């Protein structure tokens, strides 16, 4: 009857009583669902601000996302940089004349905080959380200015998935209930000597034992912090097109908890002027969405209810 429960195992023998307990979370009325976020967004805001246009969706990037929503129902959270380090643009320069359009699409298209800018990497290691709080609140105020209330949404990842554990309360206090990441480095390839030590990384300074747990059982609730950690199972810019379906099949048919999928990508790989442009980037995204939709997964936003489950 409760979301959080304690399971106790106790035994008594001639040496006395032994007892072990564990707290578990009940995902009541769970259903197959997926969250999709896009990191590092700044290019599309820069383009629209400089080029204008009658509609937000005249821009190819937002036009593609709207098509994915119309065909698969996908809800997207776009994690923003306040400053575009590639083109010297800040979101204070984005106009508010599209506010009505942002409002009309706020049920599926959310804007969120990622970091002040792309560089430096790992920008929020400070234990006091002051820089994180300041940058977050400034971003939210700007989104409210040009898009209106209800478009800004709490993030499920921070740039490089690195926030000091003592600063996580800054995010929890602002509505964050789930944090996603990679958590563990890749093993050495089979054709190379196994000289790579697997270290926890891109995962909020969690220890290696936690990271290895999340690799195989991709959700873990942290009772101390009051939030869930979720391993991202698919990042489109990192998975070649030929590997997208095998990757999604493995995630959807895992023998372990598989009802909450974290899907992601990064904005910049969609742009032909970006040095690492992926011509098939959108095809990778659509291939993944088509598969999970066919498997009965529903699009949700992770910070709504428990991992997107309102029950």
């Amino acid at each position: 009857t409760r979301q959080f429960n304690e399971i106790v195992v106790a035994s008594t023998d001639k040496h006395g009583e032994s007892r072990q307990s564990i707290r578990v979370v009940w995902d009541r009325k769970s259903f197959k669902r997926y969250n999709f976020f896009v990191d590092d967004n700044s290019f599309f805001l820069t383009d629209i601000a400089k080029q204008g246009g009658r509609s937000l969706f005249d821009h190819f990037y937002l036009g593609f996302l709207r098509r994915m929503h119309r065909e698969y129902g996908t809800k997207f959270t776009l994690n923003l940089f306040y400053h575009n380090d590639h083109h010297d643009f800040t979101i204070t320069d984005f106009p508010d004349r599209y506010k009505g359009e942002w409002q009309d699409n706020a049920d599926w298209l959310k804007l969120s905080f990622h970091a002040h800018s792309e560089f430096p990497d790992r920008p929020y290691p400070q234990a006091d959380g002051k820089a994180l709080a300041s940058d977050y609140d400034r971003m939210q105020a700007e989104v409210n200015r040009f898009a209106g209330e209800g478009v800004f949404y709490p993030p499920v990842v921070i740039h490089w998935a690195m926030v000091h554990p003592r600063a996580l309360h800054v995010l929890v206090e602002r509505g964050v209930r789930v944090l996603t990441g990679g958590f563990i480095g890749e093993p050495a390839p089979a054709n190379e000597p196994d000289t790579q030590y697997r270290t926890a990384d891109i995962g909020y300074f969690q220890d290696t034992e936690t990271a290895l747990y999340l690799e195989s059982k991709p959700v873990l609730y942290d009772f101390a912090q009051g939030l869930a950690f979720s391993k991202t199972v698919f990042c489109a810019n990192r998975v070649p097109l030929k590997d997208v379906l095998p990757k999604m099949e493995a995630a959807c048919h895992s023998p372990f908890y598989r009802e909450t999928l974290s899907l992601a990508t990064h904005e910049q790989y969609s742009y032909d002027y970006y040095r690492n442009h992926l011509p098939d980037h959108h095809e990778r995204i659509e291939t993944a969405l088509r598969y999970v939709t066919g498997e009965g997964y529903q699009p949700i936003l992770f910070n709504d209810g428990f991992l997107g489950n309102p029950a």
Side-chain angles (χ1 to χ4, degrees), residues 114-135:
H114 201 44
H116 172 74
S117 59
E118 183 172 358
F119 306 108
D121 298 340
R122 297 172 170 82
Y124 302 112
Q126 306 89 351
D128 61 19
K130 291 181 179 179
L132 174 64
S134 175
D135 288 354

Side-chain angles (χ1 to χ4, degrees), residues 19-47:
R19 183 180 185 276
Q20 187 170 3
S21 66
I22 187 171
R23 293 183 75 191
V24 295
V25 182
W26 183 25
D27 186 6
R28 185 167 65 95
K29 297 183 180 178
S30 181
F31 58 95
K32 295 195 292 185
R33 55 204 190 269
Y34 72 93
N35 181 87
F36 202 115
F37 65 84
V38 186
D39 279 347
D40 295 5
N41 287 271
S42 64
F43 287 9
F44 83 91
L45 292 173
T46 305
D47 285 354

